């Protein structure tokens, strides 16, 4: 995602819903529930426009649209404002649980995806090495728990903070958690590869095969 796309996403999912919520309450006296219901349409509208403009399904836009439709469907059966506030975190929670469970059963999702995308037998052999599989398993678990913790933090925000503040902070927190986890992944993988290279140099008979680039 480019900087422009990131700024646009923060605007659509954070600033505009917050401004719309405050405007509807202060000028028209709308209830929390109805104001939230109205501003939830904003990110959904832009997600739909993005899909139509590109002429093909976009992963991020599609996920955003699905979560919004899910929250609107749940909201129709309940007048609980928490259902609307937590809209984009439904998917992250599901992904987090899947990632964590896959690590616990020894079949990390990231490792399975890497094996599926491997084009040569040499690449598959490198990924099948116990050290490589362990590395991807650790990364898989960290991403899973980061998604789960993001959902837990969102629940805490909803319970403790005003609705307007939750609307403004939610996308910032989501991208903040994602960025921290992403840069940790880069740092940790480089550290592990460097460590394994040093160990292989000390023990030439134990060589970790490198995947083709």
């Amino acid at each position: 995602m480019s900087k422009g796309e990131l700024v646009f996403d923060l605007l659509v999912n954070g600033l505009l819903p917050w401004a719309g919520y405050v405007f509807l309450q202060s000028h028209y006296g709308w209830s929390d529930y109805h104001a939230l219901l109205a501003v939830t349409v904003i990110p959904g509208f832009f997600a739909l426009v993005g899909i139509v403009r590109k002429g093909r399904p976009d992963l991020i836009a599609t996920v955003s649209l699905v979560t919004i439709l899910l929250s609107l469907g749940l909201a129709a059966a309940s007048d609980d404002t928490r259902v609307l506030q937590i809209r984009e975190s439904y998917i992250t929670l599901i992904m987090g649980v899947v990632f964590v469970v896959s690590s616990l059963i020894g079949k990390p999702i990231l490792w399975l995806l890497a094996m599926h995308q491997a084009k040569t037998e040499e690449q598959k052999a490198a990924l099948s090495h116990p050290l490589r599989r362990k590395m991807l398993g650790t990364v898989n678990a960290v991403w899973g728990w980061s998604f789960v913790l993001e959902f837990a933090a969102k629940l805490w925000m909803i319970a403790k903070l005003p609705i307007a503040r939750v609307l403004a902070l939610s996308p910032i927190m989501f991208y903040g958690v994602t960025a921290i986890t992403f840069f940790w992944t880069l740092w940790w993988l480089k550290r592990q590869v460097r460590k394994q290279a040093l160990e292989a140099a000390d023990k030439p008979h134990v060589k970790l095969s490198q995947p083709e680039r």
Side-chain angles (χ1 to χ4, degrees), residues 4-47:
E5 290 174 330
L6 177 59
V7 171
F8 180 76
D9 196 71
L10 288 172
L11 176 68
V12 168
N13 289 287
L15 183 59
L16 287 180
W18 168 80
Y21 172 83
V22 172
F23 177 79
L24 291 173
Q25 280 211 319
S26 60
H27 286 75
Y28 295 99
W30 285 28
S31 66
D32 289 338
Y33 175 78
H34 289 100
L36 271 175
L37 191 63
V39 299
T40 298
V41 175
I42 295 174
F45 171 77
F46 280 101

Side-chain angles (χ1 to χ4, degrees), residues 1-10 54 58 60 175:
M1 179 179 288
S2 66
K3 291 182 179 179
E5 290 174 330
L6 177 59
V7 171
F8 180 76
D9 196 71
L10 288 172
K54 293 181 179 180
D58 176 83
I60 295 177
Y175 282 114

Side-chain angles (χ1 to χ4, degrees), residues 92 161 186:
T92 56
L161 301 178
L186 294 180

Side-chain angles (χ1 to χ4, degrees), residues 3 6 21 24 27 29 40 46 61 65 75 96 119 125 144 163 170 172 180 182 196:
K3 291 182 179 179
L6 177 59
Y21 172 83
L24 291 173
H27 286 75
T40 298
F46 280 101
L65 188 59
K119 297 180 180 179
I163 292 175
S170 289
I172 296 174
I180 290 171
F182 174 76
Q196 291 170 14

Side-chain angles (χ1 to χ4, degrees), residues 31-203:
S31 66
D32 289 338
Y33 175 78
H34 289 100
L36 271 175
L37 191 63
V39 299
T40 298
V41 175
I42 295 174
F45 171 77
F46 280 101
L48 186 60
V49 168
I51 293 174
V52 172
R53 182 172 60 85
K54 293 181 179 180
R56 56 182 175 80
D58 176 83
L59 179 60
I60 295 177
T62 301
V63 168
S64 176
L65 188 59
V66 168
T67 55
I68 289 167
L69 291 175
L70 175 62
S71 64
L72 289 175
L74 292 172
S78 169
D79 59 357
D80 191 343
T81 58
R82 291 173 296 184
V83 172
L84 293 171
Q85 291 181 80
I86 206 159
R87 63 180 193 276
E88 72 276 5
S89 293
Y90 292 124
I91 297 299
T92 56
L93 175 63
I94 294 172
M95 289 177 60
V97 171
V98 170
F99 272 52
V100 170
V101 171
S102 71
S103 291
L104 292 175
I105 65 176
K107 297 288 185 180
I109 295 295
L110 291 180
W111 178 78
L112 293 175
L113 289 174
M115 288 291 289
H116 178 71
Q117 294 179 355
K119 297 180 180 179
T120 66
E121 291 301 320
E122 187 176 354
Q123 289 177 335
K124 291 181 179 179
L127 289 169
S128 298
H129 193 286
L131 292 177
R132 283 289 166 83
R133 185 165 179 170
K134 183 179 180 181
M135 284 170 55
L136 288 176
T138 300
V139 172
N140 189 89
V142 169
W143 275 96
W145 282 112
S146 71
F147 288 143
V148 172
L149 291 175
E150 189 271 340
F151 182 82
K154 184 73 174 287
L155 289 179
W156 179 87
M157 288 171 58
I158 292 171
K160 299 294 183 180
L161 301 178
I163 292 175
R165 192 173 301 176
V166 173
L167 286 172
L169 293 179
S170 289
I172 296 174
M173 182 183 70
F174 172 76
Y175 282 114
V177 170
T178 302
I180 290 171
T181 309
F182 174 76
F183 287 115
W184 173 87
T185 300
L186 294 180
W187 169 82
W188 190 81
L189 286 178
K190 288 181 179 179
R191 183 172 179 270
Q192 292 301 306
V193 170
R194 192 180 305 117
K195 178 182 177 182
Q196 291 170 14
L198 290 174
E199 291 177 351
D202 292 337
K203 301 176 181 179

